């Protein structure tokens, strides 16, 4: 492999990795520029195996999006509806949202992942009651709810500080924050694709604050639209810098842009090789974030499976009821069973493990 790494122009990067030196912005850009996908993947896989061996994680989770009414006008979004009167706009009552969990009483769920549009017509008590109700129905379930963008929106709308919002939500049962809303941190891109929601600094400040208050969080990166390779690597480096400070990120999650039914529909979707490369480079750049997650709904199931040799050690979970990607044209199933996840990990020659949100092992799946 050494000669292939050298031929790919990656010998210096390989030396740095072996000497445990950190990769720079230029190194990241060089990895993206390399035409040798397998060489980049090999480096990422080595880092993955150093940390996790063949272990590959997923969880038994449920996705819920109680409202898609949203004041923000992100160009890439196919889910949000600006006006509550729009035919496809919806807001669940608390009972309807709680019913979604009640209906899954037979499933051994360990996590509920909740995200919403930025709905200006709901009181703050909607969200605190939502969480309290979920915990009443299933006291053991982990509530991973509300992106940093939602936290910022709540603070501005209800006249609270970001810290007050987080403290009240924690009091109501919030256990961690998902990574959504990060998009691309670079100002040039944000101005174009998501100008009217919380900026990169506030996103990172809210994660910093959440970590200080004892919450774990994830961080995402929406790729494959108008961003440059430098901007991708800059994004990874900003996540890495915060992780140096707090250690509170559990997973870095690249999210492949889906172009259907949104204002950027003229753009092509990212290719499979770009997706594999983004995950591989994420593993190499974000050297202090333990898990690199392929969200199979975004990558597609087959590419997520292949990514297990390109730096990825986590496949999110069963998901179920996802709307954001399916409204943007994702052809993936609504959910996967733990048996299906187990089979696809094993078929890739990796070791499947069912985890909880904190990566404690819940079950070692038997051969199926
Ligand atoms: O922030 C929206 C993205 C995100 C599109 O924390 C789109 O475990 C592609 O954050 N094409 C929400 N992406 C999803 C998310 C997430 C997913 C999986 C796991 C976790 C986690 C978080 O979805 C948004 C935005 O970046 N998104 N529209 C689209 N058309």
């Amino acid at each position: 492999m050494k000669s292939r790494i050298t031929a790919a122009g990656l010998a210096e990067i390989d030396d740095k990795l072996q000497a445990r030196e950190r990769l720079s912005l230029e190194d990241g850009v060089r990895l993206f520029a390399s035409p040798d996908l397998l060489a980049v993947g090999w480096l990422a896989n080595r880092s993955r195996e150093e940390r996790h061996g063949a272990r590959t994680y997923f969880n038994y989770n449920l996705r819920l999006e109680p409202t898609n009414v949203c004041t923000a006008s992100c160009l890439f979004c196919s889910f949000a509806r600006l006006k509550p009167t729009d035919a496809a706009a919806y807001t669940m009552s608390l009972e309807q949202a709680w019913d979604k969990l009640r209906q899954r009483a037979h499933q051994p769920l360990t996590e509920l992942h909740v995200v919403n549009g930025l709905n200006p017509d709901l009181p703050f008590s909607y969200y605190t009651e939502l969480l309290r109700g979920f915990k009443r129905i299933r006291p053991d379930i982990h509530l991973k709810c509300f992106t940093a963008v939602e936290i910022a929106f709540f603070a501005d709308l209800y006249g609270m500080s970001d810290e007050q919002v987080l403290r009240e939500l924690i009091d109501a049962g919030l256990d961690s924050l998902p990574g959504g809303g990060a998009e691309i941190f670079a100002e040039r891109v944000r101005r174009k694709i998501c100008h009217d929601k919380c900026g990169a600094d506030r996103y990172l400040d809210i994660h910093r604050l959440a970590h200080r208050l004892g919450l774990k969080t994830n961080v995402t990166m929406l790729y494959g639209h108008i961003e440059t390779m430098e901007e991708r690597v800059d994004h990874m480096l900003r996540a890495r810098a915060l992780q140096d400070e707090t250690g509170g990120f559990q997973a870095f999650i690249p999210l492949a842009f889906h172009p259907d039914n949104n204002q950027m529909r003229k753009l092509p979707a990212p290719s499979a090789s770009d997706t594999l490369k983004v995950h591989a480079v994420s593993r190499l750049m974000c050297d202090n974030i333990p898990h690199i997650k392929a969200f199979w709904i975004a990558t597609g199931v087959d590419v997520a499976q292949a990514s297990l040799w390109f730096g990825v050690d986590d496949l999110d979970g069963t998901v179920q009821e996802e709307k954001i990607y399916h409204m943007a044209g994702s052809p993936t199933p609504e959910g996967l069973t733990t048996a299906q996840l187990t089979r696809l990990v094993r078929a890739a020659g990796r070791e499947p493990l069912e985890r909880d949100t904190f990566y404690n092992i819940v079950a070692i799946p038997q051969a199926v």
Side-chain angles (χ1 to χ4, degrees), residues 15 30 33 40 47 52 56 71 91 98 107 111 144 155-157 164 192 197 213 244 246 253 278 284 290 305 349 360:
D15 290 345
R30 190 182 299 182
V40 177
S47 298
H52 299 292
T56 300
T71 57
T91 299
W98 294 333
Q107 291 187 341
E111 177 190 274
K144 184 175 79 176
D156 296 347
L157 183 68
Q164 259 177 306
K192 289 196 171 140
K197 73 179 184 192
L213 297 177
D244 277 343
T246 67
I253 313 164
V278 171
L284 295 169
Q305 185 187 37
N360 300 306

Side-chain angles (χ1 to χ4, degrees), residues 283-311:
R283 167 65 69 190
L284 295 169
M285 299 308 301
C286 297
D287 53 20
N288 53 359
I289 301 182
H291 303 284
I292 303 297
K293 182 189 282 192
F295 183 44
W296 58 265
I297 299 253
T299 59
V301 175
D302 295 346
V303 177
Q305 185 187 37
S307 76
L308 301 180
W309 291 92
F310 288 77

Side-chain angles (χ1 to χ4, degrees), residues 7 22 26 46 67 72 74 103 121 124 197 221 226 231 239 250 276 283 307 342 362-363:
R22 282 204 138 167
E26 293 68 32
R46 185 177 61 192
T67 178
C74 305
Q103 286 158 9
D121 301 320
F124 186 53
K197 73 179 184 192
M221 178 180 84
I226 62 161
E231 286 162 343
Q250 298 206 101
L276 293 173
R283 167 65 69 190
S307 76
T342 298
V362 172

Side-chain angles (χ1 to χ4, degrees), residues 21-46:
E21 269 177 56
R22 282 204 138 167
L23 301 187
S24 65
L25 183 89
E26 293 68 32
D27 294 327
V29 172
R30 190 182 299 182
L31 286 164
F32 273 118
S34 170
D36 192 339
L37 174 63
L38 285 184
V40 177
W42 188 86
L43 293 172
N45 186 54
R46 185 177 61 192

